[in-house]
Amino acid sequence: MNNPDYPDHIVIAGGGSAGWISASLISHHFRHAHTRITLIESPQIGTVGVGEGSTPHLKQLFTTLGIEESVWMAACSATYKNGIQFEQWYKEGAPGYFHPFPSAIDHATAREFLIACERRRQGYNCTTVSDEYFLASWLTRHYKSPKTNAGEQQVAINYAYHFDAGKLADFLRDVSVKQGVTHIQSTIDEVTRNQKGDLATLHLANGDTIKADFFLDCTGFSSRLLQNALEVPFVSYADSLFNDQAVAVATGPTATPLPATRSVAMTNGWRWEIPLTSRVGNGYVFASDFESPEDASDRLMAQLGRKQVNADSIRHIRIKVGRVSECWSYNCLAVGLSQGFIEPLEATALHLVQETVEQFLSAWSAGNYSPQHQLQFNQLMADRFDGIRDYIVAHYHLSSRQGPYWNTVRHEARLSDTLQALLQCWQEGGNLIQFIEQENIGHYYSPVSWYCLLSGYQLFPVLRNSESPRPPLTAIQATLTKWGARFQPHNAVLHATP
């Protein structure tokens, strides 16, 4: 028997990765209900699709949908990703560092990494290069994926993926349609609201009028439903993150793809390199106050050198960094770019899409498909966006690179109170793990991630005399022992009682 409180009709405005991830998860959630799901997608709006990276959380999406890794990866030109290789970020010409996806197998060595960092914070000479302590780093250096060629995984290793974003959207579109989602290809001309303020109807260019109980806004930066029709304010991060444009281009595939994303600091921003089976996705994220799109494109091409550039794939992208004040307002949920965007530096865009939909379904169903847990959900997602922002801002603030751009992003970017307190804790020799736990920010980036970042920028005091006695790590040992093997960021899920 169907639950009488299930919504009758849910409409998703917009396709792309955000729209079709939403459609696949929502249709799976309501697979035993009478709820109808419709996705409206404009045929004039496409995706960039030159390559994108994920976090390990993407594995959960396909586990939920019951889709084998070998099936979707082959369809989306996907490769494995062990982490991110940061180059030239500390300062030009200096060694880079690796941000791995830690696994349970790293328990002992990761603990040694943290202890080495603590010793180095006391001024003693210790090896604090994260590459030396994590299996993901070793695999990357040796161009090895976390699985064998036969698709078998010998040990439990945490990993993520690179994939073609356009192909992923097409793959999930087919999955969603098979699950019963109605796909309408048309443009939204007008959005109307009812007397209560809820969204009521979407008037389409093909003449259709679509009504629904609940709407998802996946219309990108335009945010036709949430920011425009419902007038939900946008909280800009432009005073913290100065990059506002990107140029992306595809090059030919490489015979031996690196199983990690490359992030290379540049004169006025940074560039990415994401290897797929069919091509390599490249991009340059920059601040238009310091470089024109034309100059940025020339700079990226110069870096690519003689690589086979697909001229038809060049895309110039405007970026609006920030988030909406509330992503669930009235009977509408914003997902993807309509909800907000942080720099692609740590590949969190699709993670936030997936996390938003999963957390929303948890909160919505816990409240018997009412707005009972709306405030709790909105705060949870706002905190997640802000927490990720802080980690990204630290990449710029801690850099020692020189030049007008880097001097500006280092000295003029606004730091949140939490980020300032975290950096002060580190610089004053405080217990960073305890700070992260007390501030409840380990949900966004784990202590291992912060230690990799801070040690990667070599934020340590001058070395002591090697004969100086080493004081015990009494302040940190208990926390390290208590902390144990909790290396992965925790994905908090709402378990409210109806």
Side-chain angles (χ1 to χ4, degrees), residues 345-401:
L345 189 58
E346 290 281 348
T348 56
L350 289 193
H351 176 97
L352 285 166
V353 167
Q354 187 180 343
E355 182 77 2
T356 297
V357 177
E358 291 171 345
Q359 297 283 6
F360 168 73
L361 289 172
S362 176
W364 202 27
S365 60
N368 206 20
Y369 302 101
S370 76
Q372 179 181 349
H373 302 298
Q374 186 178 35
L375 291 176
Q376 183 186 8
F377 166 80
N378 281 332
Q379 188 62 56
L380 180 74
M381 295 313 304
D383 289 345
R384 184 167 292 277
F385 265 83
D386 292 349
I388 293 174
R389 174 207 58 198
D390 286 352
Y391 190 73
I392 302 299
V393 169
H395 288 71
Y396 296 95
H397 178 71
L398 300 176
S399 176
S400 297
R401 289 182 66 101

Side-chain angles (χ1 to χ4, degrees), residues 162-181:
H162 303 122
F163 50 87
D164 185 309
K167 290 182 179 180
L168 178 68
D170 291 344
F171 181 85
L172 291 176
R173 176 199 61 204
D174 294 343
V175 169
S176 300
V177 170
K178 287 181 181 178
Q179 291 179 166
V181 174

Side-chain angles (χ1 to χ4, degrees), residues 54 58-59 62 67-81 145-148 151 159-164 167-168 171 259 275-278:
S54 79
L58 188 63
K59 288 186 289 186
F62 293 100
I67 299 172
E68 291 294 329
E69 190 176 77
S70 58
V71 174
W72 81 263
M73 287 186 69
C76 300
S77 301
T79 59
Y80 290 109
K81 172 183 172 182
S145 73
K147 293 191 175 182
T148 66
Y159 61 88
Y161 311 95
H162 303 122
F163 50 87
D164 185 309
K167 290 182 179 180
L168 178 68
F171 181 85
L276 311 180
T277 59
S278 59

